Amino acid sequence: MLASLASAYSICAAAALAVAAHAHPSLSTKLTHEKRDIIPGQWTKVSRAEATVPVTLRIGLKQRNLERADEFISAIAHPGSETYGQHWTPQKVIDTFAPSDEAIAETEQWLLAEGVASDRISRTSGRNWIKVTTTVGEAESLLDTTYNVYENNDGTQLVACESYSVPAAIQGHIDLVAPTIQFDEREAIVITRRLKQRDDSTAPKFKKLPPHPDFDADSLKNCSEVTTPACLRALYNIPKKVHPVQGNSYGIVEFAPQSYNQDDLNVFFSVYGSHSIPNGTAPIFQGIDGGYLSSESGSGIRGESNLDLSYAIALTYPQNVTLYQVGDSVAWNPATNNNFLDAIDGSYCTTDGGDSPDWDAIYPHDASSGNADGVYTGQPMCGVYNATKVISVSYGSNEDARPASYRARECAEYMKLGLMGVTVLFSSGDDGVAGLRGQCVKPDGSYTPVGAEYGRFNPMFPGTCPWITSVGGTALPPNSSTIHQQTREIASYKFFSGGGFSNLFPLPSYQASAVSQYYAHHDPGYNSSTYNNTRAVRGYPDVALAAQDYVTGIDGGFMAFSGTSASSPTFGAMIALINGERMKAGKGPVGFINPVLYAHPEVFRDVVEGKNPGCGTDGFSAVEGWDPVTGLGAPDYEKLKKVFLALP
Ligand SMILES: *[C@@H]1O[C@H](CO)[C@@H](O)[C@H](O)[C@H]1NC(C)=O
Ligand SMILES: *[C@@H]1O[C@H](CO)[C@@H](O)[C@H](O)[C@H]1NC(C)=O
Ligand SMILES: *[C@@H]1O[C@H](CO)[C@@H](O)[C@H](O)[C@H]1NC(C)=O
Ligand SMILES: *[C@@H]1O[C@H](CO)[C@@H](O)[C@H](O)[C@H]1NC(C)=O
Ligand SMILES: *[C@@H]1O[C@H](CO)[C@@H](O)[C@H](O)[C@H]1NC(C)=O
Ligand SMILES: *[C@@H]1O[C@H](CO)[C@@H](O)[C@H](O)[C@H]1NC(C)=O
Ligand SMILES: *[C@@H]1O[C@H](CO)[C@@H](O)[C@H](O)[C@H]1NC(C)=O
């Protein structure tokens, strides 16, 4: 029995292959498309669903060529490729991946043949969804299924089925149909609804500092206690003087209700800005779907954003930093990565169907449903901003907290951004091998109670997506005195660097040799009940940097924050500076960097001490070479710059 939720249903790919053998497969022969092997423990079947309940069926069509992702990415991002750096235009991305006209036409023909009136069938602008306005009764006949009402422990009731079928003739075109078997993921027809809460914040841990730190901001004597911009420059060889390059860009993404406070940035820059960052220095604000700056104080609201922006700006000033501030104050329907991605890629944005009504925020919001900071009652923002050349995001969630198809769609978008020359970085998580707030997975696929110490490892997404760069955490050994570039680092110990192996995403070619070396020399000592030990899946993180006790201005004073929330913006700053150097040399941005990083382990200071415990285990250990705690190790800016400047 497979333990994770995402693996609790299987997609019948083998059946689709069999279809190709028939010359004229019939529309009336239906094959099982997806089915659930188990109903998660918290749900109970209550009754048969009534045939008259209205349903909007969404048929997700298969994008073409996604199976060639590794090949496409390697061609432009592998240092040995003749076409390195030749990024794709947005039009080439659309032309390559959009579902074929044939897939759309044949799927619609099936619906018409089943008697669905044409005015009840519509397409989304991105062409990858067909919507059908129907009822439970008609959906049962279209999909050869039975819909039931299910109820969970807290009273939520929804309509779902346990398997469904589609015609053999068009099964190859169809990715998924919703709502069907996604009932435990709240992507179903919900009758009564639980209130949703933000579940993807890796809120950094913090400690309070004295109001006036009693040491020189340029001092390197206390870097094992408090991390400052000066410590990071010394550790990673980051230049102090930056020459801005027109057209270079670096973006930080923040989600409501969290947002930065300008007074706090001013206080931080006045002490740690090396006398060069003027009072009032702010990011370029790009609000998405009601994005706003909160009027509230406290580390819960300001901590994450103040931290991310203080270090992104301090390390790249006077280069501009862009803030993508996403989502309004409606807490029960919070914005997600998909809402952000819609705003920077119009082709991803399918206003009427691409985003999931049960995971993503759907706008407009009801004007009466937020707090004083504002409710977004406009249309979803679609392709209104350009993607910056580097994007860092310090949010993540448990890989299996959403359906595999949802994860795959989002991950494919990061691949497309990479093809277009954008570097996307995510912090790897702060709970070691466990998921958010220490949750692990039980054999029935549900989570252990928060804080419990048993169960299966719970990898974090988007870290497990092969098409982003996942940034883990390190620390200086306690009580290290003055630091220098040879100072050894250890895995973070005040929190544990998120790391491990995906249950969903296969091993990308750029990582194959590193992962096989890892297993050749180290036996993590866990069997397949504990994690996906097939050696054929994506491992994370890719790199790791200092992530403890970053001094940050907050509510007029200072606090020290710990988490991979800190290391991702720092690494992003290094990549943004390297893009500037490449632009000065007449070259393009670096885009997706992982193939270059894995081909050049010598630019990293390997981290070989520490571990990432969780789920009642010691987790994995940092060892020589790549490992699922600190990845390739800590990067040296000058060495990394040299590698990228030598590439076309
Ligand atoms: C080092 O930082 C700590 C804060 O964690 C502070 O209490 C201490 O005074 C600092 N030491 C020096 C020598 O600055
Ligand atoms: C930074 O942004 C400002 C305002 O958008 C713009 O005027 C300036 O040219 C930008 N600087 C660089 C170096 O791109
Ligand atoms: C920054 O400027 C504001 C006014 O624009 C002022 O109130 C504040 O005291 C200044 N902060 C610092 C740290 O100089
Ligand atoms: C996006 O980039 C294009 C081309 O460089 C430019 O014309 C446009 O003004 C930019 N849009 C925004 C919102 O910055
Ligand atoms: C660090 O130094 C403090 C004060 O000298 C001491 O109490 C503590 O045990 C030391 N920690 C380690 C890990 O050596
Ligand atoms: C482990 O990964 C492989 C390869 O992607 C996959 O086929 C398998 O289902 C995964 N196992 C679990 C338990 O998730
Ligand atoms: C993994 O090991 C545990 C403890 O030794 C055992 O109970 C379990 O059956 C094993 N699982 C597999 C798939 O071998």
Side-chain angles (χ1 to χ4, degrees):
M1 187 68 251
L2 303 181
S4 74
L5 254 187
S7 58
Y9 55 89
S10 50
I11 297 176
C12 302
L17 284 178
V19 170
H22 299 282
H24 297 288
S26 149
L27 278 176
S28 54
T29 306
K30 287 182 186 166
L31 298 175
T32 304
H33 192 59
E34 288 186 285
K35 86 190 226 315
R36 252 185 200 287
D37 297 329
I38 50 168
I39 307 170
Q42 66 270 34
W43 292 95
T44 319
K45 193 189 295 183
V46 179
S47 60
R48 180 90 195 258
E50 292 199 29
T52 52
V53 171
V55 186
T56 302
L57 272 189
R58 302 181 305 125
I59 302 172
L61 299 179
K62 272 210 169 65
Q63 299 184 60
R64 284 169 305 143
N65 294 317
L66 284 180
E67 70 284 358
R68 297 177 66 188
D70 201 295
E71 168 198 338
F72 293 148
I73 283 282
S74 297
I76 56 129
H78 193 281
S81 166
E82 275 173 22
T83 48
Y84 177 85
Q86 296 179 18
H87 299 132
W88 292 18
T89 61
Q91 193 56 48
K92 181 171 178 185
V93 169
I94 292 172
D95 293 346
T96 304
F97 297 108
S100 64
D101 293 339
E102 182 197 13
I104 297 168
E106 291 182 4
T107 304
E108 290 182 352
Q109 276 158 24
W110 160 55
L111 294 167
L112 293 168
E114 295 257 8
V116 179
S118 61
D119 64 353
R120 290 196 282 121
I121 304 173
S122 59
R123 301 172 188 177
T124 62
S125 47
R127 304 203 311 166
N128 36 2
W129 292 90
I130 292 175
K131 287 204 304 179
V132 187
T133 309
T134 182
T135 58
V136 161
E138 189 177 49
E140 286 184 338
S141 129
L142 286 170
L143 302 173
D144 260 6
T145 186
T146 302
Y147 279 94
N148 297 303
V149 177
Y150 298 84
E151 182 173 308
N152 83 359
N153 309 338
D154 65 11
T156 301
Q157 280 196 346
L158 50 76
V159 174
C161 62
E162 288 166 43
S163 77
Y164 66 94
S165 302
V166 297
I170 58 163
Q171 188 179 36
H173 300 323
I174 294 179
D175 213 4
L176 75 156
V177 183
T180 53
I181 62 165
Q182 305 88 351
F183 63 100
D184 59 330
E185 304 287 1
R186 289 177 283 169
E187 201 173 343
I189 311 159
V190 179
I191 299 174
T192 60
R193 186 189 287 283
R194 276 178 291 187
L195 292 190
K196 246 192 284 183
Q197 292 291 334
R198 252 252 87 86
D199 71 342
D200 57 356
S201 170
T202 55
K205 298 170 173 55
F206 62 90
K207 73 178 182 200
K208 211 163 161 48
L209 293 177
H212 299 290
D214 55 357
F215 57 95
D216 174 4
D218 290 325
S219 162
L220 302 180
K221 291 204 171 73
N222 208 16
C223 293
S224 65
E225 291 300 309
V226 178
T227 303
T228 63
C231 295
L232 294 169
R233 288 195 189 96
L235 263 175
Y236 303 121
N237 233 343
I238 303 171
K240 190 163 178 187
K241 205 154 183 53
V242 173
H243 301 283
V245 183
Q246 280 300 327
N248 193 11
S249 57
Y250 179 23
I252 299 288
V253 185
E254 302 291 340
F255 291 94
Q258 292 161 354
S259 72
Y260 85 99
N261 178 274
Q262 186 65 47
D263 295 334
D264 289 342
L265 291 199
N266 292 346
V267 169
F268 177 78
F269 293 142
S270 74
V271 179
Y272 295 99
S274 309
H275 311 293
S276 68
I277 304 184
N279 188 16
T281 297
I284 298 173
F285 182 85
Q286 302 205 321
I288 294 171
D289 297 338
Y292 64 99
L293 296 182
S294 174
S295 54
E296 291 176 57
S297 57
S299 61
I301 295 291
R302 299 182 180 181
E304 177 75 68
S305 303
N306 283 359
L307 166 71
D308 301 348
L309 288 165
S310 294
Y311 283 83
I313 292 173
L315 295 173
T316 60
Y317 188 84
Q319 189 68 59
N320 281 325
V321 169
T322 297
L323 164 62
Y324 297 109
Q325 179 68 46
V326 193
D328 65 5
S329 64
V330 176
W332 54 264
N333 190 208
T336 63
N337 290 335
N338 279 333
N339 298 108
F340 162 64
L341 294 168
D342 289 343
I344 59 162
D345 182 359
S347 74
Y348 185 69
C349 188
T350 51
T351 54
D352 46 358
D355 290 349
S356 161
D358 289 279
W359 291 113
D360 305 314
I362 302 296
Y363 302 102
H365 271 156
D366 174 355
S368 64
S369 51
N371 66 29
D373 276 322
V375 177
Y376 184 63
T377 55
Q379 290 303 309
M381 291 175 81
C382 220
V384 294
Y385 297 123
N386 294 318
T388 51
K389 295 183 167 59
V390 179
I391 295 172
S392 171
V393 194
S394 294
Y395 294 75
S397 58
N398 301 336
E399 184 185 66
D400 75 345
R402 300 181 194 182
S405 53
Y406 179 102
R407 293 307 194 198
R409 176 175 184 269
E410 183 179 328
C411 182
E413 174 64 7
Y414 298 125
M415 183 265 298
K416 294 175 191 173
L417 288 172
L419 289 173
M420 293 188 278
V422 177
T423 309
V424 184
L425 310 167
F426 277 88
S427 47
S428 73
D430 299 349
D431 294 280
V433 292
L436 272 185
R437 294 177 287 278
Q439 291 173 323
C440 302
V441 185
K442 288 186 193 169
D444 71 355
S446 61
Y447 292 131
T448 59
V450 170
E453 286 291 309
Y454 56 93
R456 186 178 166 84
F457 296 171
N458 195 0
M460 297 277 292
F461 183 88
T464 57
C465 168
W467 314 124
I468 61 102
T469 302
S470 174
V471 185
T474 66
L476 290 165
N479 295 349
S480 3
S481 53
T482 305
I483 59 153
H484 45 77
Q485 283 150 33
Q486 277 68 47
T487 305
R488 79 195 163 91
E489 283 165 73
I490 60 179
S492 62
Y493 58 89
K494 292 194 172 174
F495 72 93
F496 298 114
S497 180
F501 294 88
S502 177
N503 288 312
L504 296 180
F505 295 101
L507 181 65
S509 61
Y510 65 77
Q511 202 183 35
S513 155
V515 167
S516 109
Q517 282 297 308
Y518 170 74
Y519 278 114
H521 299 288
H522 307 280
D523 175 8
Y526 308 112
N527 66 21
S528 62
S529 300
T530 303
Y531 80 107
N532 193 317
N533 66 354
T534 56
R535 308 182 176 201
V537 285
R538 153 83 161 149
Y540 76 108
D542 299 300
V543 302
L545 281 78
Q548 289 191 177
D549 293 320
Y550 275 51
V551 58
T552 303
I554 187 116
D555 296 345
F558 292 99
M559 285 186 178
F561 287 85
S562 296
T564 52
S565 286
S567 46
S568 182
T570 297
F571 190 49
M574 293 166 66
I575 301 301
L577 295 181
I578 288 172
N579 274 343
E581 294 297 324
R582 276 182 58 94
M583 290 170 76
K584 275 195 266 179
K587 299 180 176 188
V590 292
F592 184 61
I593 54 177
N594 293 10
V596 172
L597 304 185
Y598 282 83
H600 289 280
E602 77 281 1
V603 308
F604 295 90
R605 201 162 42 228
D606 200 1
V607 177
V608 297
E609 197 182 319
K611 50 198 178 184
N612 58 355
C615 307
T617 74
D618 280 344
F620 299 102
S621 293
V623 294
E624 267 168 52
W626 178 87
D627 58 68
V629 185
T630 56
L632 294 161
D636 179 279
Y637 174 82
E638 286 299 330
K639 290 181 185 165
L640 194 57
K641 181 180 88 176
K642 217 165 143 204
V643 164
F644 278 115
L645 278 180
L647 287 167

